[in-house]
């Protein structure tokens, strides 16, 4: 029998979404054209290879994000020190919602996520690089 949880993953996502900025895919597609915006892809490399990715998106695997944004971490990535708005995404918006809430808790500002993730980006006609999902 699994351990009883105090909070489900769905509750964590709902709590995160209640306190972060969400950007729908059409707005994210428009924002991606700006020099002061960085789209950050949290998905696993295999997801990116299988489905494709947003051109010029910065790839930051979900498991490294807290370390890559922290200037005191040996893993810090300078892109996160730039004065930009960072729009995070995953496949469907769950991982990115929790990520943005965590980054806000760390003190990061100008962060948001794509409401329904890469799926909604593609459904809204956003340009992608790499293979597209098979139709059928």
């Amino acid at each position: 029998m699994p351990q009883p949880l105090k909070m489900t993953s769905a509750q964590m996502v709902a709590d995160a979404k209640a306190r972060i900025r969400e950007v729908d895919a059409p707005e994210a597609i428009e924002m991606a054209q700006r020099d002061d915006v960085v789209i950050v892809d949290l998905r696993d490399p295999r997801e990116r290879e299988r489905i494709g990715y947003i051109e010029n998106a910065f790839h930051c695997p979900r498991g490294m994000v807290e370390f890559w944004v922290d200037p005191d971490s040996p893993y810090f990535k300078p892109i996160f020190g730039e004065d930009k708005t960072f729009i995070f995404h995953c496949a469907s918006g769950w991982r990115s919602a929790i990520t943005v809430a965590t980054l806000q808790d760390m003190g990061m500002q100008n962060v948001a996520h794509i409401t329904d993730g890469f799926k909604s980006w593609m459904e809204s006609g956003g340009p992608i690089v790499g293979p597209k999902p098979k139709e059928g």
Side-chain angles (χ1 to χ4, degrees), residues 6 10-11 46 52 54 60 64 80 103-104 113 117-118 120:
K6 292 181 183 179
Q11 289 169 315
R46 291 169 298 214
I54 298 170
C60 176
M64 293 303 296
F80 290 113
L103 295 177
Q104 285 181 176
H113 89 120
F118 187 70
S120 66

Side-chain angles (χ1 to χ4, degrees), residues 25-69:
E27 183 180 1
I29 291 166
E30 192 174 296
M31 290 178 76
Q33 305 305 310
R34 297 182 4 205
D35 291 336
D36 66 335
V37 171
V38 176
I39 304 293
V40 182
D41 188 342
L42 296 168
R43 296 174 303 144
D44 182 276
R46 291 169 298 214
E47 290 176 277
R48 291 170 48 94
E49 290 170 13
R50 188 176 68 248
I51 301 171
Y53 57 90
I54 298 170
E55 187 173 24
N56 299 319
F58 181 74
H59 182 228
C60 176
R62 172 63 189 99
M64 293 303 296
V65 70
E66 291 87 352
F67 304 102
W68 284 16
V69 304

Side-chain angles (χ1 to χ4, degrees), residues 75-118:
Y75 302 104
F76 175 70
K77 298 292 182 190
I79 191 167
F80 290 113
E82 296 180 17
D83 185 19
K84 303 209 181 229
T85 297
F86 296 91
I87 309 293
F88 291 81
H89 81 85
C90 59
S92 62
W94 284 38
R95 289 173 284 179
S96 57
I98 291 172
T99 298
V100 169
T102 299
L103 295 177
Q104 285 181 176
D105 290 346
M106 291 176 73
M108 202 169 175
Q109 299 175 9
N110 297 325
V111 291
H113 89 120
I114 300 175
T115 307
D116 293 313
F118 187 70

